[in-house]
Amino acid sequence: MEEALLSLLLSDPAVATVLADRIYWVRRPDLTRPLPVCVLQRVSGVRDYTIRENVRLMQSRVQADFFGQDYRQSKEASRAVCELVDGYIGTHAGEQFQRIMIDSERDLNELEKEADRMTFRVSIDLIIWHQKEVN
């Protein structure tokens, strides 16, 4: 799911306009890179079963953090991603996304000591129902 979600985001023209290729899983590789950036983190995953088998359906919670040099920049990045994924249903890169929903949103700011700057952060939680495509 992680690779398919990243591919979905990077393939969208509106997301690419705002974030280019600055979308990472778990942590940013270098705090001095240009902003805005998006950092994705899978917070939890729950597998769905019937009495007899694993039906391969999974619910994942993914936190997406959008860092910007100002509030407007972080908000623009989060809105571009939300516009793409909110209610998304489809197959991408071998993963069937049964539905992607936005669960919550938070606005934050923080001091990045390594880069010696204040950044603004918008954080959203996505609930993603997904399963591998069956050939």
Side-chain angles (χ1 to χ4, degrees):
M1 181 277 299
E2 292 84 349
E3 296 85 355
L5 180 60
L6 180 60
S7 174
L8 176 67
L9 295 174
L10 291 172
S11 69
D12 183 71
V15 172
T17 297
V18 178
L19 289 167
D21 64 347
R22 296 182 306 271
I23 304 173
Y24 310 102
W25 276 100
V26 183
R27 70 180 189 90
R28 290 163 50 194
D30 180 0
L31 290 180
T32 62
R33 289 190 183 184
L35 298 174
V37 300
C38 174
V39 178
L40 304 169
Q41 180 174 341
R42 187 165 170 256
V43 177
S44 65
V46 179
R47 295 180 185 273
D48 199 17
Y49 292 89
T50 65
I51 291 175
R52 294 182 182 203
E53 64 185 345
N54 174 357
V55 295
R56 300 182 311 94
L57 182 63
M58 187 161 209
Q59 178 192 14
S60 293
R61 176 180 294 272
V62 173
Q63 181 175 316
D65 292 313
F66 303 89
F67 297 87
Q69 61 190 11
D70 56 32
Y71 181 68
R72 179 197 54 77
Q73 191 180 60
S74 58
K75 205 64 168 177
E76 274 182 3
S78 72
R79 285 179 180 146
V81 169
C82 286
E83 187 69 29
L84 170 64
V85 301
D86 191 20
Y88 181 84
I89 298 171
T91 300
H92 190 87
E95 193 77 22
Q96 291 179 351
F97 292 103
Q98 301 294 329
R99 180 167 306 274
I100 301 176
M101 299 169 287
I102 297 170
D103 184 54
S104 61
E105 300 180 52
R106 296 166 298 285
D107 296 338
L108 309 152
N109 66 29
E110 58 194 54
L111 175 63
E112 293 180 341
K113 292 181 181 178
E114 181 180 314
D116 193 32
R117 64 182 173 195
M118 277 300 279
T119 57
F120 291 80
R121 178 167 53 125
V122 173
S123 181
I124 63 173
D125 286 346
L126 305 173
I127 302 297
I128 304 173
W129 286 93
H130 61 97
Q131 67 187 56
K132 285 282 182 214
E133 188 175 31
V134 177
N135 295 331

